[in-house]
Amino acid sequence: MDDADDAISELSAVPGRLTDELTVRHPVPADHARLQVALAGWWGGLGGQAGAPQRQLLVPRLFLQHFAGTSFLVERPDGTLHAFLIGFLSQTDPDTAYIHFAGVCPDGKRGGVGSALYRRFFALAREAGRTRVRCITSPDNRDSIAYHTRMGFRLEPGDRTGDDGVPVHADYDGPGLDRVSFVREL
Amino acid sequence: MDDADDAISELSAVPGRLTDELTVRHPVPADHARLQVALAGWWGGLGGQAGAPQRQLLVPRLFLQHFAGTSFLVERPDGTLHAFLIGFLSQTDPDTAYIHFAGVCPDGKRGGVGSALYRRFFALAREAGRTRVRCITSPDNRDSIAYHTRMGFRLEPGDRTGDDGVPVHADYDGPGLDRVSFVREL
């Protein structure tokens, strides 16, 4: 998907090496504080003043405790956080895997790391017998909508049409928390 | 645990009848809006102005989509929500089940309904081969701490001691989001 992808290892081994510089591993609960810093800082003010605390509350420690095997952290040589993906296997729908939250640090965007994490998650979900992946994003997050479309996700029908013609689910995650819903076959 | 428990069905069949008046079933995504109303209103101002939106953000729609089989709603004869429990099986620790959020409407407290939902969750977790249940609460939620202690949970060691002598994990779920951590063998 990205020009830099050729340099990124497609090995599904985790922990392992993603590039010459970057390593990938599953998270542990002690990673929660640095993940909270990333959630506050990496989205560049998206969602206004409420955006950062909302993103932080969406990733409570439980995801690192109980869904670590389907989640990834990417670190730089100095151990700082470069990217992450938090996902799980649906316990209600045996066909579905779900990507809850993913992000790449501002300096690392367009380097193919996010796509590499998505593809690792797809491979892992397939191994677990899943046939589709779902995720959501905010209607005002145009980068995320463009990114998921490039990654092969399709937008699910909503109950209204947003500014850019995207189908929006009003109040999807609570009052005022509209969402765009994606699905991708595996 | 409560005087009213005798009247409550211990059948593990869901959907089913909990008492003459109350029915229990697994949630569906369309229940999210009423659950959000409950999360805003049932805790009586706990956590100040930030409390209600924090509780609402902690239960995004994904829990009703992907962890419905380990979650329960209790409804009154007129269909209004009386109580709920949102839980899941850990995908990292095969011994652990986790209760993420549970609540009973203010009029229904001390009626044994919360305990009945906990016991149903315990039974379901045991059937799935789990040997322990974990959950957390806020250090300022004294009712919740007393309740979990009565239900056989023990408090896990923290990194400081709170006002009532309870062990507190500082910034457990993010900056300023201290938590008390419980575990109960099954």
Side-chain angles (χ1 to χ4, degrees):
Chain A
M1 308 280 154
D2 295 287
D3 294 341
D5 277 8
D6 290 345
I8 292 176
S9 163
E10 291 298 320
L11 293 173
S12 63
V14 176
R17 194 159 283 283
L18 199 68
T19 67
D20 282 351
E21 296 271 290
L22 301 171
T23 52
V24 60
R25 65 174 172 83
H26 296 300
V28 295
D31 292 311
H32 190 254
R34 52 212 297 249
L35 208 51
Q36 291 278 307
V37 172
L39 288 161
W42 287 4
W43 273 261
L46 184 77
Q49 276 212 323
Q54 279 179 8
R55 284 188 291 277
Q56 290 181 311
L57 283 165
L58 281 172
V59 189
R61 182 174 293 250
L62 69 87
F63 285 99
L64 308 186
Q65 295 168 320
H66 302 298
F67 304 104
T70 45
S71 302
F72 311 108
L73 292 190
V74 176
E75 292 170 312
R76 297 192 205 103
D78 63 1
T80 53
L81 193 64
H82 186 88
F84 69 89
L85 183 153
I86 307 290
F88 58 79
L89 304 175
S90 175
Q91 291 180 355
T92 299
D93 177 358
D95 294 329
T96 296
Y98 188 89
I99 296 176
H100 175 49
F101 228 108
V104 178
C105 69
D107 290 352
K109 287 196 196 298
R110 301 183 189 282
V113 171
S115 309
L117 293 186
Y118 268 63
R119 286 196 297 270
R120 271 166 199 253
F121 184 82
F122 296 162
L124 204 151
R126 270 188 218 104
E127 281 167 30
R130 307 295 159 135
T131 57
R132 78 175 71 91
V133 177
R134 289 185 181 277
C135 58
I136 58 168
T137 199
S138 297
D140 57 349
N141 193 343
R142 296 179 182 202
D143 289 350
S144 173
I145 294 169
Y147 179 79
H148 284 92
T149 305
R150 283 200 305 276
M151 287 298 291
F153 286 87
R154 98 180 165 266
L155 289 84
E156 297 194 277
D159 45 38
R160 69 174 176 86
T161 302
D163 296 340
D164 303 331
V166 295
V168 173
H169 300 253
D171 301 326
Y172 180 99
D173 260 343
L177 299 176
D178 296 353
R179 297 289 185 256
V180 173
S181 175
F182 300 102
V183 63
R184 183 192 193 279
E185 312 307 320
L186 289 177
Chain B
M1 305 280 154
D2 295 288
D3 294 341
D5 276 7
D6 290 346
I8 291 177
S9 162
E10 292 298 321
L11 293 174
S12 62
V14 176
R17 193 159 284 284
L18 199 70
T19 68
D20 282 351
E21 296 272 290
L22 301 172
T23 52
V24 60
R25 65 173 171 85
H26 296 301
V28 294
D31 292 312
H32 190 254
R34 52 212 297 248
L35 207 51
Q36 290 279 307
V37 172
L39 288 161
W42 288 2
W43 273 261
L46 184 77
Q49 275 212 324
Q54 280 179 8
R55 284 188 292 278
Q56 290 181 311
L57 282 165
L58 282 172
V59 189
R61 182 175 292 249
L62 69 88
F63 285 99
L64 308 186
Q65 294 167 320
H66 302 299
F67 305 104
T70 45
S71 301
F72 311 109
L73 292 192
V74 176
E75 292 170 312
R76 298 193 205 102
D78 63 1
T80 53
L81 194 63
H82 186 88
F84 69 89
L85 183 153
I86 306 290
F88 58 80
L89 305 175
S90 175
Q91 289 180 357
T92 299
D93 177 358
D95 294 330
T96 296
Y98 188 89
I99 296 176
H100 175 47
F101 228 108
V104 178
C105 68
D107 290 350
K109 286 195 196 300
R110 302 182 190 284
V113 170
S115 310
L117 292 187
Y118 269 63
R119 286 196 296 270
R120 271 166 200 253
F121 184 81
F122 296 163
L124 204 153
R126 271 190 217 103
E127 281 167 31
R130 307 295 159 134
T131 58
R132 79 175 72 89
V133 176
R134 289 184 182 280
C135 57
I136 58 169
T137 199
S138 296
D140 57 349
N141 193 344
R142 295 179 183 202
D143 289 350
S144 173
I145 295 169
Y147 179 78
H148 284 93
T149 305
R150 283 200 305 275
M151 287 299 290
F153 286 87
R154 92 179 169 270
L155 288 83
E156 297 194 277
D159 46 37
R160 69 174 176 85
T161 302
D163 296 341
D164 302 331
V166 294
V168 174
H169 300 252
D171 301 327
Y172 180 98
D173 260 342
L177 299 177
D178 297 354
R179 297 289 185 257
V180 174
S181 175
F182 300 102
V183 62
R184 182 191 193 280
E185 312 308 321
L186 287 178

